[in-house]
């Protein structure tokens, strides 16, 4: 095939020239050398498609050179055509080529050389083709075997991987379920705890509200009672007795009434007032105990619960308590004050009645004093 | 005043001459002087063995010449494959016969468009450098500079600056001297070693491989220098490297034949063997039948008539063998020490310089063309063997010229008469099979009168 590279080795430059001319004309690229060592060190050796070599050369022989070429991996496939001198050929059939692909008797006819070169290259191509086909077939079989082996290995591996995955998933699910159950239990416990806390807070709040309401009522009642009592006494004293009489009465009371009467009266007054006050307080308290808790229980739970929930969520009890306090105050103002006012009115009426009784007692005392003054001495 | 230089201007009208001893004036200093002075002229350097002429133009080196130079321009171009031998011969004939003047070969080749100016320029530069390196290596000698215009019939194909040349030369001198000491005998022959057991790991550069590829156990260093066309320095460097890599070894010390195919001692019996030679019938046999090598046409013996010959190469070998035998017979008759005009060494050193002449072999004390004719007479061969024919005839002509010189030196007029007698007998009534148009007389005249 034109364009193929040939390395031609012959110790004669003339033979090189003859062969080169013929091969060049046939389209081959020919590089020449005069000895086998030059062949083995040729820069283009591994690119050569054919080596044409004189069988009888000085120094390294063609047999040795062919052996070295065939032992070397890169040059092993390069075919070698020997040029054998006709004197060296006794029986061509018994000629040992020593690894060469063919031979040509020397001196050669140049066209015969070209033909022989073409044959060797063609044979080389066919051998190469056969080798390639064989290699392809071997590759195919090897690939099939490899595929089967690979498939089996993949199946085994896949099975192992699936089993391992299932184990992993099971473990993971178990772990996750356990975690979730724990979380759920913890949540339930937390809810329960929250509920208990709420209940406790509610009860505490109710207790606080009740106590607050009671103390408020008590304070209000005490304030009202004191104020009313003081005012009533002052008014009664200022309005009922003229200053003189009052002075007289004071003097008389101081001078004329015996200490015993005064003390009895004082005692009676002292005995009556606390008793009345106690009665009033008891009344008020009773009313308050009945009215305020009921009202609080009826109206406040929702508010309290929302406030408590907010307080629980924000974990800011103070704010909750503030809100609760404000709500309680508002509830107290709205719900309890009328009751308190009613109770105060009743107390006021009782006080008036008590004042009246005191006034009557004073008048009676004065009358007694008059009687004693004017009629007692006598 | 042997150690000094002198400027001769005694004769008015003659060009200025500067001459002296290289022992007193170093060649680099002389070259620098000529370069700095932008001088034109010819510097002739005479060493122990050779004379080299360097031509200067305006301080630059434009040419060189030396008798018996190894790198002749034509040879360089032919061995490089740039020029065919026949084309070179035609141009040389034209130069010699028709122009009869100093026309430069390079110019003629360029004019005929056989080679390019660049190719000639490179070959000339190689020539000049080779001769300059050699002259720089001389330890003694004389110089003479003749101031004047250089030949103006040549174009400035090459003009080398002295500075870079001296730098390159200085770098090469140590190596050159070393090579000259170890490889000073160019008759030595090297061959590749036979004990290579594995693929060589060493890689050689292209020039070294080029030299290695030419070594075949028969070519001397001198022939390798001719064939490679790289110059003496590069060739010897390559040989030195190959020796260092133990890829080649020395085959033959000068004066010792090792190949066994022939030996100087065997020359003494040439005339005797000639009388028993099968004779010119070998040529006829070569024409009509296959023969074994060694029965070549070159063995034909002159017995009053000549031929027929299968080829002109066989004719040439027979002529030179006959000349040799006749001279040998003369010495034998005179009871003088047997002297030969032709021996293996002459063929190796002069014949094998021609690249494709090695189908002519030295066999049993004779030039043998049988191998050439084996190839030439193949049906498909003539088309491809023309180059071998040209080189073989050129080589035989060169050997013939050498033999004439030797005969003249050894036998004087008597030797020349023998040569004339033999060549005349070979010029007429000769039958030569191939090529049909070969003219023996013209060929003989070509080298005998050159």
């Amino acid at each position: 095939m034109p364009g193929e590279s040939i390395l031609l080795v012959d110790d004669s430059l003339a033979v090189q020239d003859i062969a080169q001319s013929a091969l060049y004309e046939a389209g081959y690229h020919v590089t020449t050398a005069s000895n086998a060592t030059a062949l083995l060190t040729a820069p283009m050796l591994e690119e050569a498609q054919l080596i044409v070599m004189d069988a009888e050369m000085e120094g390294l022989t063609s047999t040795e050179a062919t052996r070295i070429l065939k032992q070397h991996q890169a040059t092993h496939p390069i075919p070698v055509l020997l040029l054998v001198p006709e004197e060296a050929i006794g029986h061509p059939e018994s000629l040992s080529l020593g690894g060469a692909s063919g031979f040509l008797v020397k001196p050669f006819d140049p066209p015969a050389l070209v033909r022989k070169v073409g044959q060797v290259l063609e044979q080389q191509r066919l051998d190469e083709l056969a080798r390639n086909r064989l290699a392809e077939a071997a590759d195919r079989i090897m690939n099939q075997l490899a595929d089967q082996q690979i498939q089996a290995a993949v199946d085994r591996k896949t099975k192992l991987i699936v089993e391992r995955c299932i184990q992993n998933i099971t473990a993971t699910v178990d772990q996750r379920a356990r975690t979730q159950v724990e979380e759920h239990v913890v949540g339930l416990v937390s809810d329960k705890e929250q509920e208990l806390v709420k209940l406790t807070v509610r009860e505490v709040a109710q207790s606080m509200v009740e106590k607050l309401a009671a103390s408020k009522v008590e304070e209000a009642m005490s304030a009202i009672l004191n104020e009313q009592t003081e005012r009533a006494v002052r008014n009664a004293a200022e309005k009922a007795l003229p200053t003189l009489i009052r002075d007289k009465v004071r003097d008389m009371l101081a001078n004329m009434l015996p200490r015993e009467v005064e003390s009895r009266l004082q005692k009676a007054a002292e005995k009556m007032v606390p008793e009345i006050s106690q009665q009033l307080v008891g009344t008020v308290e009773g009313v308050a105990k009945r009215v305020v808790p009921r009202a609080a229980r009826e109206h406040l739970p929702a508010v309290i619960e929302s406030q408590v929930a907010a307080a629980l969520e924000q974990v800011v009890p103070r704010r909750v308590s503030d809100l609760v306090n404000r709500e309680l105050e508002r509830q107290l103002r709205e719900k309890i004050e009328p009751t308190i006012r009613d109770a105060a009115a009743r107390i006021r009426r009782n006080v008036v009645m008590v004042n009246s009784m005191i006034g009557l007692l004073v008048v009676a005392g004065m009358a007694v004093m008059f009687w004693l003054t004017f009629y007692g001495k006598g | 005043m042997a150690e000094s230089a002198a400027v001769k201007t005694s004769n008015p009208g003659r060009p200025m001459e500067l001459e002296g001893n290289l022992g007193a004036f170093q060649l680099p200093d002389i070259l620098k002087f000529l370069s700095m002075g932008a001088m034109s002229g010819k510097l002739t350097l005479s060493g122990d063995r050779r004379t080299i002429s360097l031509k200067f133009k305006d301080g630059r080196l434009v040419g060189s010449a030396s008798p018996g130079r190894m790198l002749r321009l034509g040879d360089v171009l032919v061995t490089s494959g740039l020029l065919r031998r026949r084309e070179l011969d035609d141009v040389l004939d034209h130069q010699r016969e028709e122009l009869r003047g100093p026309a430069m070969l390079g110019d003629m080749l360029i004019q005929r468009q056989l080679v390019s100016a660049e190719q000639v320029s490179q070959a000339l530069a190689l020539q000049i450098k080779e001769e300059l390196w050699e002259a720089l290596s001389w330890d003694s000698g004389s110089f003479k500079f003749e101031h004047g215009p250089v030949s103006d019939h040549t174009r400035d194909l090459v003009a080398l600056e002295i500075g870079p040349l001296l730098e390159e030369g200085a770098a090469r001198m140590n190596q050159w001297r070393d090579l000259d000491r170890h490889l000073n005998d160019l008759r030595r022959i090297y061959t590749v070693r036979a004990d290579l057991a594995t693929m060589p790991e060493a890689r050689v550069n292209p020039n070294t491989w080029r030299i290695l590829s030419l070594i075949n156990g028969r070519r001397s260093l001198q022939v390798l220098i001719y064939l490679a066309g790289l110059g003496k320095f590069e060739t010897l460097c390559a040989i030195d490297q190959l020796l260092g890599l133990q890829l080649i070894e020395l085959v033959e010390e000068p004066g010792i034949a090792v190949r066994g195919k022939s030996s100087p001692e065997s020359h003494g019996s040439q005339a005797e063997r000639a009388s028993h030679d099968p004779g010119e019938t070998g040529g006829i046999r070569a024409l009509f039948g296959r023969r074994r090598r060694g029965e070549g046409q070159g063995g034909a013996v002159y017995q009053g008539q000549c031929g027929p010959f299968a080829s002109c190469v066989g004719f040439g070998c027979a002529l030179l063998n006959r000349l040799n035998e006749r001279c040998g017979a003369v010495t034998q008759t005179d009871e003088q020490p047997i002297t030969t005009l032709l021996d293996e060494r002459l063929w190796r050193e002069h014949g094998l310089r021609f690249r494709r002449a090695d189908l002519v072999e030295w066999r049993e004390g004779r030039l043998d063309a049988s191998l050439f004719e084996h190839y030439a007479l193949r049906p498909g061969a003539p088309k491809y063997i023309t180059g071998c024919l040209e080189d073989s005839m050129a080589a035989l002509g060169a050997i013939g010229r050498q033999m004439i010189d030797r005969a003249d030196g050894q036998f004087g007029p008597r030797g020349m008469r023998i040569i004339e007698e033999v060549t005349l007998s070979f010029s007429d009534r000769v039958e030569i099979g191939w090529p049909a148009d070969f003219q023996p007389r013209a060929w003989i005249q070509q080298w005998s009168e050159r």
Side-chain angles (χ1 to χ4, degrees), chain A residues 11-14 17 22 25 32 34-35 37-38 41-42 58-60 67-68 86-87 106-110, chain B residues 192 194 196-197 199 209 212-213 215-216 218-219 259 290 293 355-356 358-359 374-375 378 380-381 383-384:
Chain A
D11 58 359
S12 165
L13 290 175
D17 185 72
E25 192 178 77
T32 58
S34 294
N35 59 73
T37 304
T41 56
E58 289 284 322
L60 191 66
R67 183 186 61 76
I68 292 171
E86 60 184 358
E87 300 93 332
K106 190 179 159 186
F108 53 82
D109 194 23
Chain B
V192 294
L196 195 65
M199 188 70 79
W209 189 81
L212 176 63
S213 72
I215 292 172
N216 70 346
R218 290 192 296 278
R219 298 180 187 121
R259 283 178 58 78
R290 291 182 63 186
R293 285 172 65 182
R355 175 174 281 270
R356 292 163 295 187
D358 58 6
L359 287 179
H374 267 64
Y375 276 100
R378 301 277 165 179
K383 181 180 175 185
Y384 305 104

Side-chain angles (χ1 to χ4, degrees), chain A residues 73-261:
Chain A
Q73 189 178 4
T75 55
H76 173 77
I78 305 174
V80 177
L81 174 64
L82 289 178
L83 301 176
V84 184
E86 60 184 358
E87 300 93 332
I89 297 181
H91 301 283
E93 61 276 9
S94 63
L95 182 69
S96 172
L97 295 178
S101 303
F103 74 96
L104 184 69
V105 176
K106 190 179 159 186
F108 53 82
D109 194 23
L113 173 67
V114 174
R115 282 195 301 274
K116 189 69 182 178
V117 164
Q119 286 171 7
V120 173
L121 286 172
E122 184 60 28
Q123 185 61 46
Q124 174 72 5
R125 274 193 292 276
L126 289 174
D127 289 349
E128 186 70 27
L129 196 63
R131 272 197 297 273
N132 287 340
R133 291 277 163 81
L134 200 60
E136 285 172 7
D139 280 350
R140 267 201 308 278
I141 292 169
M142 290 302 292
N143 285 337
Q144 285 173 359
L145 283 171
D147 285 346
Q148 289 171 2
Q149 293 293 326
I150 290 169
Q151 191 58 47
V154 165
D155 288 347
R156 282 197 302 274
K157 199 74 181 174
T158 306
K159 193 177 174 184
L160 280 172
I161 290 170
V162 167
E163 285 174 356
R164 206 166 291 167
C165 283
I166 289 169
Q167 286 174 0
N168 288 339
I169 290 167
T170 306
T172 307
V173 167
D174 282 352
Q175 183 69 27
R176 194 167 293 173
R178 203 171 294 130
T179 307
Q180 284 183 354
V181 167
E182 284 176 2
E183 285 175 356
H184 191 63
V185 169
V186 169
L188 286 175
V189 170
S190 178
D191 289 347
K192 205 69 183 174
E193 283 176 352
Q194 285 181 4
E195 194 176 342
L196 286 171
V197 168
K198 281 180 185 175
L199 284 173
T200 306
V201 168
R202 193 176 300 150
E203 286 175 0
V204 169
Q206 283 178 357
S207 170
M208 284 173 65
V209 167
E210 286 172 358
K211 284 181 181 175
L212 189 62
S215 66
K216 289 287 181 183
V217 168
E218 190 175 352
E219 285 173 5
M221 286 181 65
S222 176
I224 293 168
L225 186 58
N226 289 336
E227 186 184 351
Q228 292 296 329
T229 304
E230 190 178 350
R231 192 181 298 159
V233 171
R234 194 180 298 124
N235 288 340
E238 286 177 355
K239 291 176 182 177
L241 295 174
T243 307
L244 186 58
I245 294 171
R246 201 165 47 231
D247 291 337
K248 282 292 187 179
V249 169
R250 192 181 302 127
D251 289 339
M252 282 177 71
L253 286 172
N255 296 319
M256 291 173 68
L257 287 176
R259 291 186 183 272
E260 190 178 347
V261 173

Side-chain angles (χ1 to χ4, degrees), chain B residues 230-369:
Chain B
L230 295 173
K232 184 179 174 184
F233 179 77
E234 290 293 342
T235 304
L236 295 187
C237 278
I239 293 289
D240 192 46
Q241 188 187 358
L242 292 171
L243 284 170
L245 292 171
Q246 297 187 328
L247 293 176
I248 62 171
E249 60 189 356
L250 185 65
V251 168
E252 179 186 14
E253 287 296 335
I256 301 172
V258 294
R259 283 178 58 78
K261 290 182 179 178
S262 62
S263 65
E265 289 75 17
S266 66
H267 295 168
S269 59
Q270 285 173 17
E272 186 180 351
R273 272 203 318 279
S275 63
H276 297 97
D277 198 283
E280 60 266 39
T281 53
I284 299 169
R285 284 163 54 194
L287 280 170
F288 299 105
R290 291 182 63 186
R291 297 166 301 153
R292 293 291 176 192
R293 285 172 65 182
E295 299 174 2
Q297 181 64 45
V301 176
Y302 176 65
Q303 291 179 343
Q305 60 179 11
C306 188
F309 297 97
S311 71
C312 60
V313 178
F315 163 79
C317 289
L319 171 58
L320 299 184
N321 287 334
R322 180 60 189 158
L323 277 174
N324 198 32
E325 289 157 6
R326 287 280 291 138
C327 289
V330 167
T331 54
Q332 194 176 35
T333 305
D334 294 351
E335 295 181 351
Q336 295 174 356
I338 295 172
T339 307
T340 55
L341 299 181
L342 176 61
D343 56 24
E344 183 177 13
R345 178 162 291 160
L346 182 69
W347 173 247
R348 282 187 182 180
E349 292 179 5
H350 294 273
L352 291 183
R353 291 180 186 183
F354 297 85
R355 175 174 281 270
R356 292 163 295 187
D358 58 6
L359 287 179
V360 176
E361 297 175 299
W362 183 261
R363 189 183 290 273
E364 296 176 355
R366 305 164 62 82
L367 284 173
D368 186 357

